[in-house]
Amino acid sequence: MSSKTVTVTDPASGNTAELPVVEGTVGNNAIDVRTLAKQSGYFTYDPGFAATASCSSAITYIDGEQGILLHRGYPIEQLASKSSYLEVCYLLLNGELPNSTESDDFENIIKNHTMVHENIGRFMQGFRYDAHPMAMLSATVAALASFYHDSIDINDPEHRQITAHRLIAKMPTLASYCYKHYRGQPFVYPRNNLSYTENFLHLMFAVPAEEYSPSPAAIRAMETLLILHADHEQNASTSTVRLAGSSGANPFASIAAGIACLWGPAHGGANEAVMNMLDDIMETGETIESTIARAKDKNDPFRLMGFGHRVYKNYDPRATCIQGVCHDLLDELGGDQPLFQLARELEEAVLADDYFKERKLFPNVDFYSGIILRALNIPMNMFTAMFAMARTVGWIAHWQEMHTDPHFRIGRPQQIYTGPTRRDYPGA
Ligand code: ACO
């Protein structure tokens, strides 16, 4: 807390409220309005919380105007090109990069927890054959709490830590079970001699009848996707995890709430929308020129999916990281496949077009992630489950941070009541 204050005056009554300023290490400062209602009788009104800092956090920093994304101070570009997903997990959870012993220990711990209880597999087999993976995932993650009665005391730092490790380790297994159930293939057991990402691809695509070995470009593309989606500060699902966890709900229930929030199309569904758009263009035989013309036409609600971003008004730094990885993967898998060719031509045409340049509408991370997941043969209904798997570490890091924050209290927003005033029940 700084010594600065801001004074707010109500001209009608002349009442003033003096409010402290909260300063971060970088970025906007905030006015601490906790005593505003007591001093002035007013609450603040901020639907969507777009102008409200719900907490202080030392995990991730975003500057949308400049296209900056830092995890614990490290730029995402450097993490994506130099680090591994597990190292980023360690960083997000612990605040510092691991040394080589810590890195090995962390990897071993995670590998120790990759299997799930056999009854979890049976539980998942109970879903209808075409159940949506996000329904299966949120329900199963919530159900995990019933297997760990002895280690979900939220006030015990060791319990919090082992739960964090369990969730990071088991998400690939659970996500792959969703896919296998849908395909009607047997669940595959994790292989702890493989890297985190290679193991995930093995869980997804190995079958008992033959060997499976993913290409280096596929492993790199998946690893990069995981790193780029690991955290994104107080987005809707992370805020949901914090809010659910603020009541003292167990960590599995809190993460299940985050998964449910991510399932919404306005949050986790953008890369699916990109693929739907590309499929539509292919099916209808529209040209790139006519597609771009539609996107510019103010009388047509159509927008180019995968371009522009609510937060990043310069460029999405994650898109810059993934563009090369995406191109490499497409080159390896045959860049002349019609849909991938279309995506590359669309990207080039948009980047050269003045309408998009003037409005700073660049390809966002979802444009490339949709194409990569399609190239990796991951079906569209699994896209958001991939996102949930990657984001689990971010959710759990925020959940942990909340439980060690001295200012933490149950989340309980106010409202402006607009319903009827008091009236009597007929005959009362
Ligand atoms: N295609 C065509 N025109 C666009 C697009 C687009 N994808 N995005 C923005 N514009 C235009 C708008 O029409 C507007 O033009 P105008 O100034 O002539 O009126 C201008 O660019 C600014 O657009 P806004 O809607 O004000 O930008 P906003 O920040 O509200 O929207 C959003 C951001 C919702 C992401 C938008 O760019 C969009 O709809 N993109 C496509 C969907 C998408 O890819 N979403 C995933 C983004 S990731 C995420 O947000 C979680």
Side-chain angles (χ1 to χ4, degrees):
M1 189 83 67
S2 80
S3 54
K4 286 184 202 158
T5 57
V6 168
T7 304
V8 181
T9 306
D10 174 10
S13 65
N15 287 345
T16 62
E18 191 166 319
L19 302 166
V21 170
V22 190
E23 288 183 359
T25 45
V26 60
N28 286 354
N29 296 327
I31 300 170
D32 178 347
V33 294
R34 279 177 293 180
T35 60
L36 178 66
K38 211 170 185 179
Q39 291 191 60
S40 69
Y42 287 109
F43 290 125
T44 53
Y45 178 63
D46 182 19
F49 313 120
T52 298
S54 62
C55 61
S56 51
S57 177
I59 299 173
T60 290
Y61 173 71
I62 298 173
D63 181 334
E65 290 301 323
Q66 294 192 54
I68 292 173
L69 169 60
L70 309 176
H71 292 321
R72 303 286 191 181
Y74 294 104
I76 191 67
E77 295 86 344
Q78 294 177 17
L79 293 172
S81 62
K82 306 247 177 267
S83 186
S84 67
Y85 179 65
L86 278 190
E87 193 179 53
V88 172
C89 289
Y90 185 98
L91 175 70
L92 290 171
L93 290 174
N94 300 296
E96 296 297 335
L97 288 169
N99 61 31
S100 69
T101 315
E102 288 164 339
S103 184
D104 290 347
D105 288 350
F106 185 67
E107 190 168 349
N108 285 333
I109 290 168
I110 296 301
K111 285 182 171 173
N112 243 319
H113 290 292
T114 49
M115 288 178 68
V116 295
H117 193 289
E118 287 294 293
N119 284 351
I120 281 285
R122 291 188 193 106
F123 174 78
M124 293 180 85
Q125 273 161 352
F127 284 95
R128 225 177 87 140
Y129 75 97
D130 60 350
H132 195 286
M134 290 297 277
M136 294 179 74
L137 210 51
S138 52
T140 309
V141 168
L144 280 179
S146 64
F147 290 81
Y148 299 111
H149 294 297
D150 59 343
S151 52
I152 49 173
D153 177 358
I154 57 165
N155 297 313
D156 183 329
E158 280 181 23
H159 286 201
R160 293 201 298 263
Q161 190 180 50
I162 192 169
T163 303
H165 294 159
R166 280 187 175 130
L167 277 160
I168 294 165
K170 292 183 199 308
M171 279 303 273
T173 314
L174 297 179
S176 75
Y177 280 17
C178 297
Y179 172 69
K180 290 296 195 190
H181 181 68
Y182 159 76
R183 290 295 307 269
Q185 291 179 357
F187 296 155
V188 170
Y189 287 111
R191 290 265 296 270
N192 291 348
N193 60 330
L194 301 177
S195 74
Y196 186 89
T197 302
E198 220 175 331
N199 173 54
F200 169 65
L201 292 171
H202 164 82
L203 285 162
M204 287 284 288
F205 298 117
V207 287
E210 59 187 64
E211 285 299 312
Y212 169 76
S213 155
S215 76
I219 298 169
R220 176 156 179 257
M222 183 47 86
E223 180 98 12
T224 310
L225 274 188
L226 292 178
I227 294 173
L228 296 182
H229 288 90
D231 192 43
H232 214 226
E233 53 115 307
Q234 311 307 322
N235 55 83
S237 59
T238 302
S239 300
T240 300
V241 170
R242 280 182 177 262
L243 193 56
S246 78
S247 72
N250 76 66
F252 298 105
S254 305
I255 301 299
I259 296 172
C261 176
L262 185 71
W263 192 0
H267 191 359
N271 50 13
E272 220 173 306
V274 171
M275 297 320 294
N276 281 328
M277 176 189 74
L278 293 175
D279 285 338
D280 278 355
I281 298 174
M282 295 288 295
E283 272 166 32
T284 56
E286 246 190 283
T287 62
I288 296 212
E289 292 71 34
S290 62
T291 307
I292 289 183
R294 276 188 68 203
K296 292 185 200 173
D297 181 357
K298 296 294 170 208
N299 298 316
D300 189 331
F302 173 76
R303 281 189 166 193
L304 277 186
M305 292 294 121
F307 294 87
H309 199 278
R310 186 52 52 82
V311 177
Y312 295 116
K313 292 304 175 198
N314 198 328
Y315 62 90
D316 180 344
R318 301 166 301 170
T320 317
C321 302
I322 208 165
Q323 185 188 44
V325 174
C326 179
H327 290 169
D328 289 350
L329 185 70
L330 297 191
D331 287 344
E332 184 187 292
L333 297 177
D336 59 350
Q337 290 180 44
L339 185 116
F340 300 145
Q341 191 61 35
L342 170 74
R344 282 180 94 147
E345 284 169 13
L346 183 65
E347 178 197 6
E348 274 167 30
V350 169
L351 288 172
D353 191 296
D354 283 342
Y355 171 96
F356 293 93
K357 278 194 212 163
E358 279 158 18
R359 290 169 178 75
K360 299 188 170 176
L361 298 169
F362 302 104
N364 57 44
V365 68
D366 296 300
F367 181 73
Y368 298 106
S369 70
I371 295 165
I372 287 178
L373 292 172
R374 172 70 66 87
L376 293 174
N377 281 326
I378 292 178
M380 219 134 75
N381 68 355
M382 281 293 293
F383 282 14
T384 319
M386 304 289 88
F387 191 165
M389 181 175 94
R391 184 55 60 81
T392 293
V393 65
W395 290 330
I396 202 82
H398 282 272
W399 177 84
Q400 293 237 48
E401 187 181 60
M402 180 185 72
H403 279 294
T404 52
D405 182 347
H407 299 294
F408 151 67
R409 51 200 301 220
I410 186 168
R412 204 311 185 179
Q414 297 293 343
Q415 65 167 9
I416 308 294
Y417 176 68
T418 57
T421 53
R422 188 193 186 284
R423 51 184 166 164
D424 288 325
Y425 187 80

